[in-house]
Amino acid sequence: MGDTKSRAKVSVALIGVGSTWDLHYRAAIQRLSAKISVRAVCDTVLCRAASVADEFEAAPIDSPWLLTQRTDLHAWLILDPGWFCQYPADLALRNERPALFANTFSGSLAKTAALYQRSREFGETLMPEFPQRFTPSTTRLRELMVTKLGRVQRIELVIPLRFGQTPADWLVSSQSEAVGVFDWCSWLLGVPMGGISYHESASGPQFELTFSARSPELQPLHATLRFSSTEPTMTRIVECERGTATTSGPTQICWRACEEEGVETFGQERSPYEIILDQFCRRALGGLVPVPTVQDALQAITSTQLAIACAQPRAD
């Protein structure tokens, strides 16, 4: 029994142990200690790598290339690569190592496109994190879609802005979150975005997104991103075949389907990052687990950059 459990553990290298590590992944890895064994820690600041390595009795390393010489590693967790940029992800693909690529897909579209081409060439898993897919309210929404609501027909998001902030400001300053929003819409609808427009209305500035039809005989699908300086948290209104659901933040959902309705609030028993790590580990061990792909990231970054271009004021 002990040998089986040991074989099921994923031996990983941590690359970049800055703020993303501290805020999101340290606690998640500790909670998944039965599934994950940290064997090496790489960072642009070697003393920081040494400090985290001490926590796990792992080896501190100052270069991602040195990780390619380690035969005891199943996978890499690329968290805060710093000035390494996308080099560790490229190196993981070329050396046939599954990698989780966290918090770094808001960068260069051209470099992400190149990573996508290499991921197709080498056939390895390079998984972006996309935590918005794994919040408690979204997890419950997906369950309700299967059991009560049916497929999504239309989405409206209300995105809070700070006083004086414009949608273009938000898209640039919160680009990782914005990329996650576009991914969330496309993932929930099950089709890629095909077009985008921006306009001001009485209810505030908004984007209208058009998504491909699910089949040739059906109409295209739509989503609205509306911005408000009075809303305290992001609200997502989802119209489905047999009802509607509204999520407020990551932990609350209210829904109505035919004669039934409910209001549910969830704790954070498992953070989105713990779920992301769990799915990645299962995939790294050969499981056929559907996970986000570099193609998803490429589509979401493209959508975000189109939105930035639409929202920028035009010179007369």
Side-chain angles (χ1 to χ4, degrees), residues 39-312:
R39 297 285 182 86
V41 181
C42 179
D43 196 272
T44 53
V45 181
L46 187 55
C47 63
R48 189 162 60 189
S51 176
V52 175
D54 283 345
E55 294 180 35
F56 297 96
E57 298 181 354
I61 291 177
D62 63 357
S63 166
W65 182 83
L66 293 175
L67 296 174
T68 66
Q69 310 305 301
R70 295 281 299 264
T71 59
D72 60 330
L73 298 172
H74 292 124
W76 296 2
L77 306 182
I78 306 169
L79 307 180
D80 290 292
W83 56 261
F84 291 143
C85 298
Q86 291 175 317
Y87 170 62
D90 185 55
L91 203 60
L93 289 173
R94 293 180 183 279
N95 286 273
E96 300 181 343
R97 302 293 174 87
L100 172 67
F101 199 42
N103 194 33
T104 42
F105 277 110
S106 58
S108 163
L109 182 62
K111 289 181 179 178
T112 304
L115 281 180
Y116 169 59
Q117 292 301 326
R118 283 193 285 276
S119 70
R120 294 186 63 187
E121 178 184 349
F122 293 106
E124 277 301 328
T125 297
L126 181 57
M127 175 181 166
E129 61 178 5
F130 289 135
Q132 294 181 45
R133 294 190 184 191
F134 303 104
T135 64
S137 58
T138 294
T139 299
R140 178 56 175 150
L141 172 60
R142 295 281 290 185
E143 292 171 354
L144 288 166
M145 287 165 57
V146 173
T147 59
K148 300 180 186 296
L149 296 173
R151 291 196 299 183
V152 176
Q153 301 298 301
R154 182 176 177 82
I155 297 171
E156 179 178 352
L157 271 69
V158 182
I159 299 170
L161 295 177
R162 299 190 306 273
F163 179 77
Q165 189 180 35
T166 67
D169 295 334
W170 179 80
L171 287 164
V172 173
S173 64
S174 304
Q175 196 166 346
S176 288
E177 184 179 14
V179 169
V181 163
F182 284 102
D183 170 74
W184 189 87
C185 291
S186 184
W187 170 69
L188 208 62
L189 289 165
V191 287
M193 192 184 83
I196 184 168
S197 63
Y198 174 76
H199 65 276
E200 306 273 348
S201 70
S203 59
Q206 60 189 50
F207 290 100
E208 294 293 338
L209 316 181
T210 303
F211 293 81
S212 304
R214 291 188 177 116
S215 61
E217 67 273 12
L218 297 177
Q219 295 296 314
L221 300 166
H222 299 276
T224 300
L225 307 186
R226 182 164 60 83
F227 294 83
S228 171
S229 58
T230 60
E231 295 292 331
T233 188
M234 190 180 297
T235 302
R236 307 172 194 238
I237 304 158
V238 182
E239 299 176 12
C240 300
E241 293 169 315
R242 298 188 296 276
T244 62
T246 301
T247 70
S248 300
T251 59
Q252 187 175 78
I253 185 170
C254 61
W255 56 271
R256 176 174 294 180
C258 300
E259 303 280 321
E260 297 181 83
E261 60 182 44
V263 177
E264 304 175 45
T265 302
F266 309 96
Q268 288 276 16
E269 289 83 8
R270 297 185 76 201
S271 74
Y273 302 94
E274 185 178 341
I275 297 170
I276 288 165
L277 275 177
D278 191 19
Q279 290 201 352
F280 174 71
C281 288
R282 290 160 62 192
R283 185 62 173 262
L285 289 172
L288 299 177
V289 181
V291 296
T293 67
V294 185
Q295 183 177 18
D296 296 333
L298 185 60
Q299 290 173 349
I301 294 171
T302 301
S303 299
T304 304
Q305 296 199 354
L306 287 172
I308 292 171
C310 285
Q312 295 287 1

